[in-house]
Short mmCIF file of all heavy atoms in Angstrom, two decimals:
data_model
loop_
_atom_site.label_atom_id
_atom_site.label_comp_id
_atom_site.label_asym_id
_atom_site.label_seq_id
_atom_site.Cartn_x
_atom_site.Cartn_y
_atom_site.Cartn_z
N SER A 141 -15.29 34.47 -13.09
CA SER A 141 -16.71 34.29 -13.38
C SER A 141 -17.03 34.55 -14.86
O SER A 141 -18.17 34.52 -15.26
CB SER A 141 -17.54 35.20 -12.47
OG SER A 141 -17.00 36.50 -12.49
N ASP A 142 -15.99 34.80 -15.65
CA ASP A 142 -16.22 35.08 -17.06
C ASP A 142 -15.35 34.16 -17.92
O ASP A 142 -14.13 34.34 -18.02
CB ASP A 142 -15.89 36.56 -17.35
CG ASP A 142 -16.17 36.94 -18.79
OD1 ASP A 142 -16.21 36.04 -19.66
OD2 ASP A 142 -16.33 38.15 -19.05
N PRO A 143 -15.94 33.14 -18.55
CA PRO A 143 -15.17 32.15 -19.30
C PRO A 143 -14.26 32.78 -20.36
O PRO A 143 -13.15 32.31 -20.58
CB PRO A 143 -16.25 31.29 -19.97
CG PRO A 143 -17.47 31.50 -19.17
CD PRO A 143 -17.38 32.87 -18.57
N LYS A 144 -14.71 33.86 -20.98
CA LYS A 144 -13.91 34.47 -22.04
C LYS A 144 -12.62 35.10 -21.48
O LYS A 144 -11.53 34.90 -22.00
CB LYS A 144 -14.74 35.54 -22.76
CG LYS A 144 -14.83 35.29 -24.27
CD LYS A 144 -15.60 36.36 -25.00
CE LYS A 144 -14.76 37.59 -25.28
NZ LYS A 144 -15.58 38.74 -25.70
N LEU A 145 -12.80 35.86 -20.39
CA LEU A 145 -11.64 36.48 -19.73
C LEU A 145 -10.67 35.42 -19.24
O LEU A 145 -9.45 35.56 -19.34
CB LEU A 145 -12.11 37.32 -18.53
CG LEU A 145 -12.68 38.69 -18.81
CD1 LEU A 145 -13.19 39.31 -17.51
CD2 LEU A 145 -11.64 39.59 -19.44
N LEU A 146 -11.23 34.36 -18.69
CA LEU A 146 -10.41 33.29 -18.13
C LEU A 146 -9.56 32.63 -19.22
O LEU A 146 -8.38 32.37 -19.02
CB LEU A 146 -11.33 32.25 -17.46
CG LEU A 146 -10.63 31.22 -16.60
CD1 LEU A 146 -9.93 31.87 -15.42
CD2 LEU A 146 -11.60 30.17 -16.10
N LYS A 147 -10.16 32.42 -20.38
CA LYS A 147 -9.44 31.82 -21.50
C LYS A 147 -8.26 32.70 -21.93
O LYS A 147 -7.16 32.21 -22.15
CB LYS A 147 -10.38 31.63 -22.70
CG LYS A 147 -11.11 30.31 -22.66
CD LYS A 147 -11.85 30.07 -23.97
CE LYS A 147 -12.53 28.71 -23.92
NZ LYS A 147 -13.46 28.50 -25.03
N GLU A 148 -8.52 33.99 -22.01
CA GLU A 148 -7.47 34.92 -22.41
C GLU A 148 -6.31 34.86 -21.43
O GLU A 148 -5.14 34.82 -21.80
CB GLU A 148 -8.06 36.34 -22.47
CG GLU A 148 -7.09 37.38 -23.02
CD GLU A 148 -7.50 38.79 -22.66
OE1 GLU A 148 -8.71 39.02 -22.39
OE2 GLU A 148 -6.61 39.66 -22.59
N LEU A 149 -6.67 34.82 -20.14
CA LEU A 149 -5.66 34.75 -19.09
C LEU A 149 -4.80 33.51 -19.24
O LEU A 149 -3.57 33.57 -19.23
CB LEU A 149 -6.35 34.77 -17.72
CG LEU A 149 -5.47 34.50 -16.51
CD1 LEU A 149 -4.43 35.60 -16.32
CD2 LEU A 149 -6.30 34.37 -15.24
N ILE A 150 -5.46 32.37 -19.38
CA ILE A 150 -4.73 31.10 -19.44
C ILE A 150 -3.83 31.04 -20.67
O ILE A 150 -2.64 30.68 -20.57
CB ILE A 150 -5.69 29.90 -19.41
CG1 ILE A 150 -6.42 29.87 -18.06
CG2 ILE A 150 -4.96 28.58 -19.65
CD1 ILE A 150 -7.65 29.00 -18.02
N THR A 151 -4.34 31.43 -21.83
CA THR A 151 -3.51 31.36 -23.04
C THR A 151 -2.33 32.31 -22.95
O THR A 151 -1.22 31.97 -23.36
CB THR A 151 -4.33 31.65 -24.33
OG1 THR A 151 -5.18 32.77 -24.08
CG2 THR A 151 -5.16 30.48 -24.74
N THR A 152 -2.54 33.47 -22.38
CA THR A 152 -1.43 34.43 -22.25
C THR A 152 -0.32 33.86 -21.38
O THR A 152 0.86 33.95 -21.73
CB THR A 152 -1.93 35.76 -21.63
OG1 THR A 152 -3.06 36.21 -22.35
CG2 THR A 152 -0.84 36.83 -21.65
N VAL A 153 -0.69 33.27 -20.25
CA VAL A 153 0.32 32.73 -19.34
C VAL A 153 0.98 31.49 -19.95
O VAL A 153 2.21 31.34 -19.90
CB VAL A 153 -0.29 32.41 -17.95
CG1 VAL A 153 0.75 31.77 -17.05
CG2 VAL A 153 -0.84 33.67 -17.31
N LYS A 154 0.17 30.61 -20.53
CA LYS A 154 0.71 29.38 -21.12
C LYS A 154 1.77 29.67 -22.17
O LYS A 154 2.76 28.95 -22.29
CB LYS A 154 -0.43 28.56 -21.77
CG LYS A 154 -1.28 27.75 -20.82
CD LYS A 154 -0.57 26.59 -20.16
CE LYS A 154 -0.29 25.43 -21.09
NZ LYS A 154 0.41 24.33 -20.38
N LYS A 155 1.56 30.75 -22.94
CA LYS A 155 2.50 31.12 -24.00
C LYS A 155 3.87 31.49 -23.44
O LYS A 155 4.89 31.28 -24.09
CB LYS A 155 1.94 32.31 -24.78
CG LYS A 155 1.43 31.92 -26.17
CD LYS A 155 1.04 33.16 -26.96
CE LYS A 155 -0.44 33.14 -27.29
NZ LYS A 155 -1.03 34.44 -27.48
N ARG A 156 3.89 32.04 -22.24
CA ARG A 156 5.15 32.56 -21.69
C ARG A 156 6.01 31.52 -20.98
O ARG A 156 7.20 31.70 -20.84
CB ARG A 156 4.86 33.70 -20.69
CG ARG A 156 4.43 35.01 -21.31
CD ARG A 156 5.58 35.71 -22.03
NE ARG A 156 6.70 36.14 -21.17
CZ ARG A 156 6.73 37.25 -20.47
NH1 ARG A 156 5.69 38.07 -20.48
NH2 ARG A 156 7.79 37.56 -19.76
N ILE A 157 5.38 30.46 -20.46
CA ILE A 157 6.15 29.54 -19.62
C ILE A 157 6.00 28.07 -20.04
O ILE A 157 5.06 27.73 -20.76
CB ILE A 157 5.77 29.67 -18.13
CG1 ILE A 157 4.27 29.38 -17.92
CG2 ILE A 157 6.12 31.05 -17.58
CD1 ILE A 157 3.88 29.26 -16.47
N LYS A 158 6.94 27.24 -19.55
CA LYS A 158 6.92 25.83 -19.93
C LYS A 158 6.30 24.95 -18.84
O LYS A 158 5.76 23.90 -19.12
CB LYS A 158 8.35 25.36 -20.19
CG LYS A 158 8.95 25.98 -21.44
CD LYS A 158 10.26 25.27 -21.81
CE LYS A 158 11.02 26.05 -22.86
NZ LYS A 158 11.62 27.29 -22.30
N ILE A 159 6.42 25.38 -17.58
CA ILE A 159 5.90 24.54 -16.49
C ILE A 159 4.36 24.55 -16.51
O ILE A 159 3.74 25.46 -17.06
CB ILE A 159 6.43 25.00 -15.11
CG1 ILE A 159 6.14 26.50 -14.87
CG2 ILE A 159 7.91 24.68 -14.96
CD1 ILE A 159 6.51 26.97 -13.48
N PRO A 160 3.74 23.53 -15.89
CA PRO A 160 2.28 23.42 -15.92
C PRO A 160 1.59 24.63 -15.27
O PRO A 160 2.11 25.22 -14.33
CB PRO A 160 2.00 22.16 -15.11
CG PRO A 160 3.25 21.38 -15.12
CD PRO A 160 4.36 22.38 -15.21
N VAL A 161 0.42 24.95 -15.79
CA VAL A 161 -0.39 26.05 -15.27
C VAL A 161 -1.73 25.48 -14.80
O VAL A 161 -2.44 24.81 -15.56
CB VAL A 161 -0.65 27.10 -16.37
CG1 VAL A 161 -1.60 28.18 -15.86
CG2 VAL A 161 0.67 27.72 -16.83
N ILE A 162 -2.05 25.73 -13.53
CA ILE A 162 -3.35 25.31 -13.03
C ILE A 162 -4.15 26.54 -12.62
O ILE A 162 -3.57 27.61 -12.38
CB ILE A 162 -3.24 24.30 -11.86
CG1 ILE A 162 -2.54 24.92 -10.64
CG2 ILE A 162 -2.50 23.04 -12.31
CD1 ILE A 162 -2.44 23.98 -9.46
N VAL A 163 -5.45 26.41 -12.58
CA VAL A 163 -6.31 27.57 -12.33
C VAL A 163 -7.14 27.32 -11.09
O VAL A 163 -7.75 26.26 -10.92
CB VAL A 163 -7.26 27.81 -13.51
CG1 VAL A 163 -8.06 29.09 -13.30
CG2 VAL A 163 -6.47 27.89 -14.80
N LYS A 164 -7.15 28.32 -10.21
CA LYS A 164 -7.94 28.18 -8.99
C LYS A 164 -9.33 28.76 -9.21
O LYS A 164 -9.47 29.93 -9.58
CB LYS A 164 -7.24 28.90 -7.85
CG LYS A 164 -7.95 28.70 -6.53
CD LYS A 164 -6.97 28.73 -5.41
CE LYS A 164 -7.66 28.60 -4.08
NZ LYS A 164 -6.73 28.84 -2.99
#
Side-chain angles (χ1 to χ4, degrees):
Chain A
S141 47
D142 183 338
K144 236 182 81 194
L145 281 175
L146 191 63
K147 272 189 178 169
E148 186 198 336
L149 171 65
I150 295 164
T151 43
T152 309
V153 176
K154 281 292 288 180
K155 253 187 243 154
R156 286 289 296 277
I157 59 170
K158 292 191 192 72
I159 54 174
V161 175
I162 63 179
V163 185
K164 185 149 177 189

